[in-house]
Amino acid sequence: MAGLLKSFANLQISCKFLHPRVEAITVPSRGRKHLNYWPRKRNPIWLTKQTRVQYNENLTADNARFIKEVVDTKYSNSELSLGIAGSLRTSPLKVEPIEPKAEWQPSYRRTGVIAKKIGIYPLWLKNGKRVFTTLLQVLDNHVVRYIPPEDYKPILFKRKHKNNPRQERLGCLVVGSDSCDPQKFTKEYCGLFTDSGVMPKRVLTRFRVSPEAALAPGTPLVAAHYKPGQIVDIRGKTIDRGFQGVCKRWGFKGGPASHGVTKTHRRPGNIGGGGEKGRVWPGTKMPGHMGNRMRIHKGAKILRINTKYNVLWIHGISIPGETNSFVSIYDTILPLRRLKESPSFPTYLPTADEPLPEELFCDELHPFTEPTIQFSEES
Amino acid sequence: MASVGRILSHDIRQNIQNFKSLFGKDCRWLSSQAIETQAKSSKENADDKRKVDDRENTAPLEFRFKYPEFLPDPNAAYRNSTRERLERMDMMARRAHIDIPTFYVGSILAVTLSDSHAVGKTNRFVGICIERKGCGLRASFRLRNAIDKQGMEVVYNMYDPTIQKVECLRLEKRLDDKLLYLRDCPIEYSTFPFDMEPELIDETAPVRINTLKVPLKPPPWLERWERQDLKGVQEFEVNEKRRRKAEKHKTPWEEFDLMKIYRQTIPMEDQKDIFAEVYSDLHKLEITRRKMARKRKFNRPDKPT
């Protein structure tokens, strides 16, 4: 019986070999999503055209002065008129955060802030090591509007988010930065700011927030929203480098400079095999347009905060964008480096009785106001 | 009209010729206005002089040579007024804890710093400053000395908090902005004893210029010195090919390129604002340094005769 079974099994195996099969090669879409795709900008429907044509309106000097006066009076009572950059402006509404005020939980998502990249310079740690830091200035940030989760219907969700209950639980907070003269903008764009009562902003960004972390429109966001030592993610548009070759774009080594080499110094070389794979595979690194796309720098540490000028010192130099460009900062989503202790929730609201010191430092950073570093046995 | 124009252009060219001697690679301290003031007529000159005098009440003009690191990078793509102010605040906070003396390329310095690898001990290096680089907190200087007949160079960041003391042992200038050619000179020209005594100098007198001309060793060299217009080097010969190539790579028009000078400099008005911000603090520090120097002078015991 056993022998019969054995022979039957053998027959099955041989049948498998005899069975005609279709020769199929699976082509992995390696890097197609991340390497070369061009993100389409999908603005929300309520966002109107921002700037208008600056045609000559033939204003007399008196008229121009009058318009300036109107603008000043409209936004001055709330200390919102154009002042020195980085100064704290309080809300015109004098509103408390949207009630009820909830205690922070690790599952809650706070809002982020918009910041201007203002430069890079070194700081020193207490162990004498020099670290380069990027300075990001939180430039007059205000909440412009809050969209609750049930009303928030973005034009297109990614497929994986479509039925994701966690994403559907989140609302949306529109934050604006960099107040400008309203004459620069269209009438419709200025209308976006009537609810919050803030001066029209040049830069607007949406942040997904938990309903518990929602803020009333007009609430100012300052650098003290974060604490030194916290880890953040930074999203910004990288420097536009134009059409570049493979050496600059992908860091290829290029060819030798001499020893009889002609016309092959900075070329990519071979771009694929032959036979069944006889074509250029998707995702192959090739010359093309470099930069000018949104990139997220994850896991950056805040080393120092200046509460007067609203500046964050971020460890590292690879923050996307040029100097004087805008980036958005939010609490990191990296699972091991997420917030463990309660931050200022939903945001830092300045109180008169206990003002923050002007400079806040991370533990390992050496403040310049301290004396020279002397190494002792225990350190 | 044409003749007036020609005279004017001649005037400007002459002024540039005067100006040429100052023109080096690192010339953030130059300004468009400084050239203009020279090019104007005598009456206008007098007006400008008065203006300059007014400025001197705030911060003397030589501050741009004394403290070049307070002037930011002139590239407009890197400039931001808030960042520059914060950087200056940090620099002044550090200067309150350490006395960084005035020095130039060619001065002999001694730097003492704490060493993380030798706990509780210090590390002292003496050498000639051959290069000054960077602005703001990135400012650094390079010291060179010969130890056991082996050339050594150390780069120090001026605002490094591990630096305990910077002493200027001999305050003088050399003929060039960079003395990197000392690497290709006989070793005795970059040898300085570690037990050098600081020289006593008159603070009010102009800084001494050492007109020493050093000989170069025969090639191979680290750089093509024949292509650089070096003033502090003795006459040297190069072979025909190198001479021809040096001739080919000359850019004599660059010193007439006003636009280039403009791009490499911080405007006078900006310089005025920058130094007005830090002048009072720097001045106070200078006064305390002078007091300390006088005290040291007084305390020094006379040599037994």
Side-chain angles (χ1 to χ4, degrees):
Chain A
M1 192 62 203
L4 191 74
L5 271 176
K6 216 175 189 179
S7 62
F8 189 69
N10 278 341
L11 194 74
Q12 256 193 343
I13 290 163
S14 54
C15 275
K16 244 183 203 173
F17 277 115
L18 290 171
H19 191 72
R21 277 188 301 155
V22 182
E23 201 64 34
I25 310 157
T26 49
V27 181
S29 66
R30 184 178 53 176
R32 186 185 286 172
K33 276 185 181 170
H34 308 291
L35 288 174
N36 277 323
Y37 85 105
W38 198 263
R40 262 180 296 162
K41 199 175 180 184
R42 297 188 197 92
N43 284 332
I45 39 172
W46 49 262
L47 188 67
T48 56
K49 195 182 161 213
Q50 189 184 34
T51 47
R52 64 185 187 88
V53 179
Q54 298 288 321
Y55 53 87
N56 187 10
E57 285 168 309
N58 296 320
L59 287 178
T60 60
D62 276 352
N63 283 346
R65 213 175 300 126
F66 174 70
I67 290 173
K68 195 174 172 291
E69 208 174 285
V70 169
V71 170
D72 282 355
T73 46
K74 192 172 178 190
Y75 298 107
S76 65
N77 54 351
S78 52
E79 301 167 31
L80 284 164
S81 59
L82 290 168
I84 60 157
S87 67
L88 172 67
R89 287 158 194 186
T90 48
S91 164
L93 305 172
K94 309 278 182 217
V95 282
E96 291 298 305
I98 293 172
E99 296 293 336
K101 198 179 170 185
E103 280 295 305
W104 178 80
Q105 283 175 23
S107 60
Y108 289 168
R109 202 189 278 190
R110 292 196 303 164
T111 177
V113 294
I114 306 170
K116 192 179 186 185
K117 181 173 167 179
I118 59 173
I120 294 167
Y121 70 64
L123 295 179
W124 277 265
L125 302 183
K126 281 198 171 121
N127 60 8
K129 200 187 162 205
R130 184 175 68 150
V131 289
F132 271 97
T133 53
T134 308
L135 281 78
L136 300 177
Q137 188 182 22
V138 181
L139 203 62
D140 43 53
N141 274 222
H142 281 96
V143 176
V144 175
R145 70 161 66 179
Y146 170 65
I147 305 165
E150 52 273 17
D151 297 345
Y152 183 63
K153 291 186 178 60
I155 292 170
L156 195 70
F157 259 142
K158 278 184 188 169
R159 183 173 291 170
K160 64 174 179 181
H161 287 166
K162 209 162 190 178
N163 295 317
N164 187 344
R166 199 159 154 253
Q167 284 288 331
E168 283 171 11
R169 276 205 303 270
L170 295 176
C172 171
L173 210 58
V174 182
V175 177
S177 172
D178 199 9
S179 302
C180 281
D181 186 0
Q183 290 179 73
K184 260 181 76 174
F185 303 125
T186 58
K187 207 168 163 186
E188 296 78 27
Y189 186 79
C190 291
L192 298 175
F193 301 89
T194 43
D195 294 347
S196 53
V198 296
M199 211 166 184
K201 306 278 186 180
R202 202 164 63 79
V203 187
L204 289 179
T205 304
R206 283 181 293 179
F207 291 104
R208 304 298 307 276
V209 294
S210 316
E212 293 84 0
L215 293 164
T219 316
L221 301 174
V222 291
H225 182 68
Y226 297 104
K227 286 177 184 169
Q230 198 189 322
I231 310 285
V232 289
D233 292 351
I234 298 158
R235 184 170 183 271
K237 208 169 204 184
T238 55
I239 296 174
D240 190 356
R241 296 181 195 274
F243 195 98
Q244 291 298 334
V246 284
C247 287
K248 185 157 190 162
R249 194 176 183 214
W250 299 112
F252 283 16
K253 201 166 182 178
S258 61
H259 292 289
V261 178
T262 55
K263 304 177 195 169
T264 321
H265 305 296
R266 292 175 69 85
R267 286 185 149 202
N270 185 17
I271 56 166
E276 284 171 349
K277 302 187 284 284
R279 61 206 157 77
V280 179
W281 280 46
T284 304
K285 291 173 179 173
M286 294 232 238
H289 195 283
M290 182 180 174
N292 196 24
R293 56 177 62 190
M294 283 298 187
R295 283 287 177 267
I296 304 173
H297 179 71
K298 285 183 189 169
K301 190 175 187 183
I302 298 172
L303 293 181
R304 176 179 166 189
I305 294 172
N306 187 312
T307 52
K308 186 183 168 195
Y309 292 93
N310 280 318
V311 175
L312 306 169
W313 277 257
I314 309 278
H315 190 166
I317 52 170
S318 53
I319 311 296
E322 296 157 305
T323 305
N324 298 324
S325 63
F326 282 86
V327 294
S328 44
I329 311 173
Y330 49 91
D331 298 337
T332 186
I333 58 160
L334 296 176
L336 298 179
R337 285 186 263 177
R338 291 178 69 161
L339 280 167
K340 292 186 180 71
E341 289 162 17
S342 173
S344 355
F345 187 80
T347 184
Y348 172 77
L349 293 166
T351 47
D353 45 320
E354 41 177 321
L356 279 178
E358 193 185 320
E359 294 270 6
L360 300 167
F361 295 95
C362 165
D363 291 337
E364 61 259 40
L365 196 73
H366 172 86
F368 285 104
T369 45
E370 277 185 15
T372 304
I373 297 171
Q374 310 265 10
F375 297 105
S376 54
E377 285 296 338
E378 60 268 21
S379 69
Chain B
M1 195 62 226
S3 63
V4 171
R6 214 175 301 142
I7 289 163
L8 267 180
S9 64
H10 176 74
D11 235 32
I12 290 167
R13 224 179 296 140
Q14 249 191 348
N15 278 306
I16 290 167
Q17 288 289 345
N18 299 338
F19 186 67
K20 208 164 69 177
S21 56
L22 290 170
F23 183 70
K25 256 192 176 172
D26 187 32
C27 52
R28 276 170 292 136
W29 40 267
L30 293 178
S31 79
S32 47
Q33 194 152 331
I35 312 163
E36 280 167 17
T37 50
Q38 286 182 351
K40 278 174 189 168
S41 66
S42 61
K43 197 189 164 193
E44 280 175 341
N45 248 342
D47 283 350
D48 285 338
K49 212 174 183 183
R50 212 174 302 133
K51 264 186 219 164
V52 168
D53 288 343
D54 287 346
R55 260 186 228 125
E56 272 170 5
N57 294 336
T58 51
L61 274 174
E62 77 257 19
F63 264 45
R64 53 185 176 171
F65 307 106
K66 269 185 163 179
Y67 305 102
E69 76 272 9
F70 279 96
L71 296 179
D73 193 324
N75 188 346
Y78 302 140
R79 292 200 63 181
N80 181 291
S81 57
T82 316
R83 200 273 328 281
E84 284 162 17
R85 183 176 299 149
L86 286 165
E87 203 165 1
R88 282 195 290 274
M89 274 157 58
D90 283 348
M91 286 157 82
M92 290 315 298
R94 178 64 196 144
R95 271 178 184 268
H97 287 288
I98 183 181
D99 170 30
I100 302 172
T102 310
F103 67 93
Y104 304 91
V105 170
S107 303
I108 296 165
L109 300 181
V111 178
T112 313
L113 83 163
S114 3
D115 194 342
S116 64
H117 302 292
V119 175
K121 292 179 186 171
T122 56
N123 185 335
R124 186 168 183 268
F125 189 79
V126 175
I128 182 167
C129 176
I130 61 168
E131 192 184 28
R132 255 185 109 156
K133 244 173 133 177
C135 43
L137 287 170
R138 297 160 187 245
S140 66
F141 55 92
R142 186 183 287 266
L143 297 190
R144 181 178 167 84
N145 202 344
I147 292 158
D148 293 342
K149 293 179 184 174
Q150 169 71 51
M152 301 295 285
E153 284 179 15
V154 185
V155 181
Y156 292 100
N157 291 299
M158 274 178 80
Y159 294 91
D160 190 340
T162 56
I163 293 184
Q164 293 186 356
K165 198 159 97 183
V166 184
E167 291 167 279
C168 188
L169 304 180
R170 186 189 293 162
L171 182 71
E172 64 182 17
K173 287 180 191 172
R174 289 285 190 99
L175 295 172
D176 292 298
D177 290 334
K178 282 178 185 174
L179 304 180
L180 297 179
Y181 54 75
L182 285 181
R183 293 163 173 174
D184 281 325
C185 289
I187 200 76
E188 60 265 26
Y189 288 96
S190 41
T191 312
F192 301 94
F194 266 62
D195 51 358
M196 249 175 103
E197 283 282 313
E199 286 179 4
L200 293 172
I201 41 153
D202 182 14
E203 292 264 346
T204 51
V207 181
R208 187 177 54 201
I209 297 173
N210 188 348
T211 52
L212 175 71
K213 293 210 175 219
V214 293
L216 279 182
K217 283 193 285 193
W221 292 329
L222 290 164
E223 282 178 52
R224 296 155 172 155
W225 303 118
E226 75 276 7
R227 290 193 189 180
Q228 304 174 15
D229 187 22
L230 301 177
K231 305 218 169 40
V233 172
Q234 285 175 13
E235 288 286 311
F236 56 88
E237 295 268 317
V238 283
N239 62 26
E240 175 57 24
K241 190 183 168 191
R242 292 184 82 154
R243 198 186 53 74
R244 203 162 11 92
K245 282 204 161 180
E247 204 66 33
K248 202 178 153 194
H249 280 86
K250 266 186 185 167
T251 49
W253 58 86
E254 272 191 359
E255 54 209 49
F256 302 103
D257 192 346
L258 292 180
M259 214 44 225
K260 191 176 178 191
I261 297 170
Y262 175 73
R263 277 194 221 103
Q264 287 178 341
T265 53
I266 301 284
M268 198 62 196
E269 298 77 26
D270 287 13
Q271 287 192 26
K272 196 186 144 199
D273 294 346
I274 288 164
F275 283 121
E277 211 181 284
V278 287
Y279 172 62
S280 61
D281 291 340
L282 281 177
H283 191 62
K284 258 182 232 161
L285 288 174
E286 250 178 40
I287 288 168
T288 48
R289 189 192 307 149
R290 245 176 255 166
K291 264 186 203 165
M292 293 296 285
R294 229 175 290 146
K295 229 185 205 172
R296 237 179 283 139
K297 203 172 166 184
F298 182 71
N299 286 345
R300 183 167 295 163
D302 290 329
K303 276 180 189 169
T305 48

